[in-house]
Amino acid sequence: MKRFFYLILIFLALWMAACAPQGFEKTQFGLKTIVDSTEIEIQFFSPKIARVLKSKTGFDFEKQSLAVIKGPEPIELKTEAKGDEVVVSSSDVSVHLNLKTGKVSFYTLTGTSLLNEKEDGAQFIPVKDVDEDSYVVSQSFVLDQDEKVYGLGQFQDGKMSQRNQELYLLQDILITAIPMLQSDKGYGLYWDNYSPTYFTDTEVETSFRSTVGDCVDYYFMYGENADGVVAQMRELTGQVPMFPYWTYGFWQSKERYKSQDETLGVVKKYRELGVALDGIIQDWQYWGDNYHWNAMEFLNPEFPQPQKLVDEVHDLNANIIFSIWSSFGPQTKPYKELDENNMLYDFKTWPLTDKNVWPQPNDAAPSGVRVYDAYNPEARDIYWKYLNQGIFKLGVDGWWMDSTEPDHFERVDSDYNQKTHLGSFRKFRNAYPLLTVGGVYTHQRETSTEKRVFILTRSAFAGQQRYGANSWSGDVQTDWNVLRNQISAGLNFSLCGIPYWNSDIGGFFTGRFPGGVENKAFHEIYVRWLQFGTFCPMMRSHGTDTPREIWNFGKKGDWAYDAIEKFINLRYRLLPYTYSTSWDVTANNSSMMRALMMDFASDKKALDIDNQFMFGKSILVCPVTEPMYVKAKHEDNKYTDAKEDFSSVRSTNVYLPAGAQWFDFWTGEKMDGGQEVEKETPIDIMPLYVKAGSILPWGPEVQYASEKKADDMEIRIYPGADGEFVLYEDEGDNYNYENGVYSTITFKWDDDRQTLSIADRQGEFPGMLTERQFHLVLVNETSGTGLAESAPVKTLIYSGKAVSEKL
C-alpha cells in the first residue's frame, strides 16, 4: 500500500513537471526559450521596438533583413516570471511570453493591452523551396472588435481601414505590397518576410501567412499615435532624405514624347504661355527598338543630341528626368555583360514577345527582354556603370524607374524557382523594388552629391523611404471611382512610413473616355484629378492615348484651361509651406499626406474616412470625385455624348474633424469641427479648409520654383487657437543640409494675446536672405483668401532677430 502511494506521488511529480512551464534564458537584448519544439526569441531594438523571432528547433538558417537596417540595442530591461508567463519590460512597453503556449502579448506599462497573439498562432508547414527545406510560415493575432488597422502598402480598393478582408501581398503593376500595418491603438507591426503573403482579417483572427520562410519574424512598434508609429518604422528601416526644391513644382509627362524636339517644345510652350513648370519627363524608347530596350544609350535617331536636349531644358530653367527599367533588350551592352555573368532572369516581362502586342513594332519582335538580378550587388554595379556612362553624365536631374516591381506575367513555379543572388525568386520576390531602387540611390550618392537623388518609381517595399524615391500608383484607368480610390491607396501607403507618393493626373489609360481631349467629360475628370494632384507630394500630369499639356484643354478663358492654371499657380504659392513640410518629414518623421486618423484620433467619425486627408498639418483636402458639370452617357464602361451644363453650382459634402475650428480656404469663413458641411464646388474650386491656429507662408507667383527669392513673403495666420510653424530654407539642392547648412525661422501665434512672435533665425546657408519683408495677414471673411492678394494687417522687416507683433 505504501509502495503504491509512493508510485502515485512519483507519477504526480512527473506529470506536474511535464505540465510546468519551461525555463527561459535572459539575453543581452531580451530573452529566449523553447516551447514545444519552437524556439522563441524576443529582442529589443529600442525601448519602443521589440522583435519576435520564432523558428523550429534544429533548423539552421541565417536571417539578414533586407528592410531593417537598425540592430538590437542593449537597453535597461526588467524581467520577471509571473506564473506561466515571463514578462520583459523596457521603459515604454511590456512583452509577455507564455512559457506553456508560446503566446506573445504586448502591453503598456500601465497594463493596457495593445496586441495579442492567438493561442497556437504560429504555424510552420514544411515545404521545399526549390532544393532547400523551408516552411510556409504564419502568425495569427487577435484584435479588438472595434480596432482599426491601416497600411499594408497600396491597394486600390477604396478602403481606408484594412479590417474584414483578405489581401494578397504580391508586387504588381497596381499593387505595392508592404507587410506593415498600424493600429488606431498606437502600435505598428512589420512582418519581415519578402515572399508572396496573405493578410487575412476575420472576426476570429488577423494573420500573416507567407509562401516561404525560415522563421516567423516580426517587429512590434509602440508609437502611442500614428506619427509615433511612422517614427519607429523609420528608425527601424531608414530615415527620409530631402528632395530638391524644384521637385515640388509642376511636372509634365506623357507616354511618350517621340523626339527631343517634341520634348523641348513642351517646355518652350509652357514658358511662352506663362504657365509654371519645373519638370519634364522623357519616357521610353529614346533608346530605339525593343531589341535595345533600356540600352541606357540614345540610339533612336529622333534623339541625336541628348546633351543638347538636357542643356536646353536647363537653359529654360526646367529639369528633366529619363525613364529607365529593370530589364534589358538582348542587343544592349548591359544585357550582354549581365548575361555573361548569369545575372538575368528567364520569365515573361514587358515588353512581351508577341509581335502583335503593343507597343512593339513588328520588326522588333520577339523582344527577348529580360529582368536583371537586382539582389546581386555586382549586378547593381553593372547597372549603374552603364547608367552613369550613358545618361547621368549628361547632367540629368533624376530617374523614372519604371517596372520596379518588376513586370512578371505568368507567375508559374518555374519562374519563382529561379535562383537570385540571395536565394529563390519566390523567397525574395516582394523586396525587388527595394534593391533595384536602392542600387541607383546608393551609386549616385557615391558618384556625386551635387544633385539630390530623385527617383520616381512604380513600386516600393518597406524601407524604401531611405532611397530618395517617390512612388506612383501605376497605370490606372481614367475613371471617377479610380480617382476616388487613389486617395485611400496613397494614405495607406504613407502610413507604412514612406511619405512620397502620387498618381498619374488624369489616369494613365483614357479608353473609357473615347475621343480623349475632344471629350469634354475627360476635361472634367482631368481638372478634378489635377486638383487632387496639387496636394500630393508630387504633382505630375501623365498618361497614354491622350495628351495632357494645358493647351490641349483650350486657351485662357476656357473653363478647363483656367481651372488647370489656377491650381498650378496654387501649387507654387504653397511652395514655402510644402518645402517646410518636407523638412518636417526628414527632421521629425512627419508625413505629407496624412490620413485623418493621424491628427484626429479621438474623433471616431474621422477614423475611416477614405476621401479626405490633411496635406501637412494645416490643410484639409477633400477632392471632388464625381462628375458635376459634364453630363455623359455611361454605357459599357465608356463616357460618351458629353454635354456641358454649368447652369447651376453643385456642392460636395465635407466632414470637418472634431477638436478644431476650420477656415474655408477660399472664403475665410470660420466653422466648428465635428460636423459635415456642404461646400459649393464650381469647376475651379476643390474644398480646402485650414485648421485654426495654422500659420501659412505664401510664396510669390513664379514660372518655376527658384525664379524669385521669397524676400517679400505673405504670412497668413488663421486665428482661433495657438499655433506654430517652422519655415525651412536651404540651397534647394545638394546634401549640404545634412551638415547643418540650412536655416529655420519659427513663427508662433498666441491666440489669447493675438500676437505673432518670430524667433531668431537659426542657421545659415550660401545665398540666404539676410533681410526680408513679412506681410502679416489675419485671415477672416473680409481678408484676401484663396489665390487673391491679401491686405496685410502689418508689414515688418525681418533681419534674423526675434520680433513680436500684436495684430
Tab-separated table of all heavy atoms in Angstrom, residues 731-753:
chain	number	residue	atom	x	y	z
A	731	GLU	N	19.736	75.565	-49.753
A	731	GLU	CA	20.221	75.861	-51.107
A	731	GLU	C	19.330	75.274	-52.203
A	731	GLU	O	19.518	75.564	-53.374
A	731	GLU	CB	21.651	75.342	-51.265
A	731	GLU	CG	22.648	76.042	-50.357
A	731	GLU	CD	24.009	75.379	-50.376
A	731	GLU	OE1	24.237	74.458	-49.568
A	731	GLU	OE2	24.840	75.796	-51.210
A	732	GLY	N	18.395	74.417	-51.822
A	732	GLY	CA	17.457	73.877	-52.794
A	732	GLY	C	17.884	72.586	-53.436
A	732	GLY	O	17.065	71.857	-53.999
A	733	ASP	N	19.168	72.271	-53.387
A	733	ASP	CA	19.692	71.018	-53.922
A	733	ASP	C	20.987	70.727	-53.182
A	733	ASP	O	21.393	71.495	-52.309
A	733	ASP	CB	19.908	71.119	-55.432
A	733	ASP	CG	19.712	69.784	-56.148
A	733	ASP	OD1	19.809	68.739	-55.474
A	733	ASP	OD2	19.463	69.782	-57.366
A	734	ASN	N	21.624	69.628	-53.483
A	734	ASN	CA	22.828	69.089	-52.841
A	734	ASN	C	22.531	68.617	-51.421
A	734	ASN	O	21.407	68.785	-50.916
A	734	ASN	CB	24.023	70.058	-52.900
A	734	ASN	CG	23.898	71.256	-51.973
A	734	ASN	OD1	23.573	71.133	-50.786
A	734	ASN	ND2	24.178	72.449	-52.512
A	735	TYR	N	23.536	68.053	-50.769
A	735	TYR	CA	23.340	67.443	-49.450
A	735	TYR	C	24.013	68.228	-48.327
A	735	TYR	O	24.257	67.698	-47.240
A	735	TYR	CB	23.836	65.997	-49.465
A	735	TYR	CG	22.908	65.091	-50.251
A	735	TYR	CD1	23.174	64.789	-51.586
A	735	TYR	CD2	21.757	64.587	-49.672
A	735	TYR	CE1	22.316	63.985	-52.316
A	735	TYR	CE2	20.888	63.778	-50.392
A	735	TYR	CZ	21.172	63.480	-51.715
A	735	TYR	OH	20.308	62.690	-52.424
A	736	ASN	N	24.285	69.501	-48.568
A	736	ASN	CA	24.890	70.304	-47.506
A	736	ASN	C	23.997	70.410	-46.275
A	736	ASN	O	24.484	70.605	-45.165
A	736	ASN	CB	25.217	71.705	-48.032
A	736	ASN	CG	26.359	71.684	-49.037
A	736	ASN	OD1	27.142	70.736	-49.082
A	736	ASN	ND2	26.439	72.716	-49.866
A	737	TYR	N	22.682	70.278	-46.479
A	737	TYR	CA	21.781	70.358	-45.331
A	737	TYR	C	22.084	69.279	-44.296
A	737	TYR	O	21.821	69.466	-43.094
A	737	TYR	CB	20.316	70.263	-45.785
A	737	TYR	CG	19.877	68.871	-46.161
A	737	TYR	CD1	19.353	67.988	-45.217
A	737	TYR	CD2	19.981	68.417	-47.476
A	737	TYR	CE1	18.949	66.715	-45.563
A	737	TYR	CE2	19.586	67.142	-47.824
A	737	TYR	CZ	19.059	66.294	-46.865
A	737	TYR	OH	18.676	65.024	-47.214
A	738	GLU	N	22.633	68.153	-44.750
A	738	GLU	CA	22.956	67.083	-43.803
A	738	GLU	C	24.061	67.501	-42.830
A	738	GLU	O	24.219	66.897	-41.766
A	738	GLU	CB	23.370	65.819	-44.561
A	738	GLU	CG	22.241	65.185	-45.341
A	738	GLU	CD	22.626	63.893	-46.030
A	738	GLU	OE1	23.848	63.646	-46.203
A	738	GLU	OE2	21.723	63.131	-46.405
A	739	ASN	N	24.800	68.532	-43.207
A	739	ASN	CA	25.855	69.066	-42.340
A	739	ASN	C	25.441	70.381	-41.685
A	739	ASN	O	26.290	71.157	-41.254
A	739	ASN	CB	27.136	69.258	-43.154
A	739	ASN	CG	27.669	67.954	-43.699
A	739	ASN	OD1	27.736	66.955	-42.988
A	739	ASN	ND2	28.034	67.947	-44.981
A	740	GLY	N	24.128	70.620	-41.640
A	740	GLY	CA	23.620	71.794	-40.949
A	740	GLY	C	23.581	73.065	-41.764
A	740	GLY	O	23.374	74.151	-41.203
A	741	VAL	N	23.766	72.965	-43.079
A	741	VAL	CA	23.771	74.157	-43.926
A	741	VAL	C	22.334	74.448	-44.365
A	741	VAL	O	21.901	74.066	-45.457
A	741	VAL	CB	24.709	73.978	-45.132
A	741	VAL	CG1	24.769	75.261	-45.962
A	741	VAL	CG2	26.096	73.573	-44.673
A	742	TYR	N	21.579	75.090	-43.502
A	742	TYR	CA	20.193	75.476	-43.762
A	742	TYR	C	19.777	76.455	-42.675
A	742	TYR	O	20.514	76.686	-41.705
A	742	TYR	CB	19.262	74.256	-43.760
A	742	TYR	CG	19.208	73.513	-42.435
A	742	TYR	CD1	18.326	73.903	-41.427
A	742	TYR	CD2	20.024	72.406	-42.191
A	742	TYR	CE1	18.265	73.228	-40.212
A	742	TYR	CE2	19.982	71.728	-40.990
A	742	TYR	CZ	19.093	72.138	-39.997
A	742	TYR	OH	19.050	71.470	-38.808
A	743	SER	N	18.598	77.050	-42.846
A	743	SER	CA	18.088	77.949	-41.814
A	743	SER	C	16.637	77.622	-41.503
A	743	SER	O	15.904	77.097	-42.358
A	743	SER	CB	18.192	79.411	-42.255
A	743	SER	OG	17.205	79.729	-43.210
A	744	THR	N	16.235	77.937	-40.274
A	744	THR	CA	14.838	77.803	-39.875
A	744	THR	C	14.402	79.083	-39.172
A	744	THR	O	15.191	79.709	-38.451
A	744	THR	CB	14.619	76.607	-38.930
A	744	THR	OG1	15.446	76.754	-37.772
A	744	THR	CG2	14.944	75.293	-39.616
A	745	ILE	N	13.165	79.465	-39.395
A	745	ILE	CA	12.549	80.603	-38.720
A	745	ILE	C	11.250	80.109	-38.104
A	745	ILE	O	10.378	79.597	-38.822
A	745	ILE	CB	12.268	81.765	-39.689
A	745	ILE	CG1	13.556	82.213	-40.381
A	745	ILE	CG2	11.612	82.933	-38.958
A	745	ILE	CD1	13.331	83.224	-41.500
A	746	THR	N	11.120	80.226	-36.801
A	746	THR	CA	9.950	79.722	-36.096
A	746	THR	C	8.954	80.850	-35.833
A	746	THR	O	9.303	81.876	-35.238
A	746	THR	CB	10.350	79.062	-34.770
A	746	THR	OG1	11.235	77.961	-35.046
A	746	THR	CG2	9.126	78.540	-34.024
A	747	PHE	N	7.720	80.632	-36.295
A	747	PHE	CA	6.620	81.566	-36.066
A	747	PHE	C	5.694	80.957	-35.009
A	747	PHE	O	5.341	79.774	-35.100
A	747	PHE	CB	5.814	81.787	-37.347
A	747	PHE	CG	6.589	82.398	-38.478
A	747	PHE	CD1	7.447	81.628	-39.261
A	747	PHE	CD2	6.449	83.744	-38.779
A	747	PHE	CE1	8.150	82.189	-40.314
A	747	PHE	CE2	7.149	84.319	-39.830
A	747	PHE	CZ	8.004	83.539	-40.596
A	748	LYS	N	5.273	81.757	-34.026
A	748	LYS	CA	4.324	81.289	-33.020
A	748	LYS	C	3.180	82.292	-32.896
A	748	LYS	O	3.408	83.506	-32.828
A	748	LYS	CB	5.016	81.109	-31.671
A	748	LYS	CG	5.964	79.928	-31.611
A	748	LYS	CD	6.489	79.688	-30.211
A	748	LYS	CE	7.410	78.468	-30.170
A	748	LYS	NZ	7.925	78.205	-28.802
A	749	TRP	N	1.973	81.755	-32.862
A	749	TRP	CA	0.780	82.578	-32.717
A	749	TRP	C	0.166	82.342	-31.340
A	749	TRP	O	-0.147	81.212	-30.982
A	749	TRP	CB	-0.232	82.249	-33.808
A	749	TRP	CG	-1.585	82.890	-33.629
A	749	TRP	CD1	-2.752	82.290	-33.321
A	749	TRP	CD2	-1.872	84.285	-33.761
A	749	TRP	NE1	-3.776	83.200	-33.255
A	749	TRP	CE2	-3.259	84.444	-33.519
A	749	TRP	CE3	-1.095	85.412	-34.067
A	749	TRP	CZ2	-3.885	85.679	-33.561
A	749	TRP	CZ3	-1.733	86.647	-34.117
A	749	TRP	CH2	-3.099	86.778	-33.859
A	750	ASP	N	0.035	83.410	-30.565
A	750	ASP	CA	-0.625	83.380	-29.264
A	750	ASP	C	-2.032	83.917	-29.471
A	750	ASP	O	-2.225	85.117	-29.673
A	750	ASP	CB	0.154	84.238	-28.260
A	750	ASP	CG	-0.416	84.146	-26.850
A	750	ASP	OD1	-1.659	84.090	-26.704
A	750	ASP	OD2	0.385	84.145	-25.892
A	751	ASP	N	-3.022	83.029	-29.425
A	751	ASP	CA	-4.374	83.440	-29.785
A	751	ASP	C	-5.002	84.360	-28.734
A	751	ASP	O	-5.732	85.288	-29.095
A	751	ASP	CB	-5.257	82.209	-30.005
A	751	ASP	CG	-6.501	82.528	-30.813
A	751	ASP	OD1	-6.346	82.984	-31.965
A	751	ASP	OD2	-7.612	82.337	-30.297
A	752	ASP	N	-4.726	84.106	-27.465
A	752	ASP	CA	-5.296	84.970	-26.424
A	752	ASP	C	-4.781	86.395	-26.554
A	752	ASP	O	-5.537	87.367	-26.418
A	752	ASP	CB	-4.961	84.427	-25.031
A	752	ASP	CG	-5.755	83.172	-24.700
A	752	ASP	OD1	-6.828	82.980	-25.318
A	752	ASP	OD2	-5.303	82.386	-23.850
A	753	ARG	N	-3.500	86.530	-26.836
A	753	ARG	CA	-2.900	87.859	-26.940
A	753	ARG	C	-2.942	88.411	-28.364
A	753	ARG	O	-2.556	89.546	-28.595
A	753	ARG	CB	-1.452	87.795	-26.460
A	753	ARG	CG	-1.304	87.416	-24.979
A	753	ARG	CD	0.156	87.201	-24.603
A	753	ARG	NE	0.971	88.368	-24.968
A	753	ARG	CZ	2.195	88.309	-25.452
A	753	ARG	NH1	2.761	87.117	-25.660
A	753	ARG	NH2	2.877	89.409	-25.734
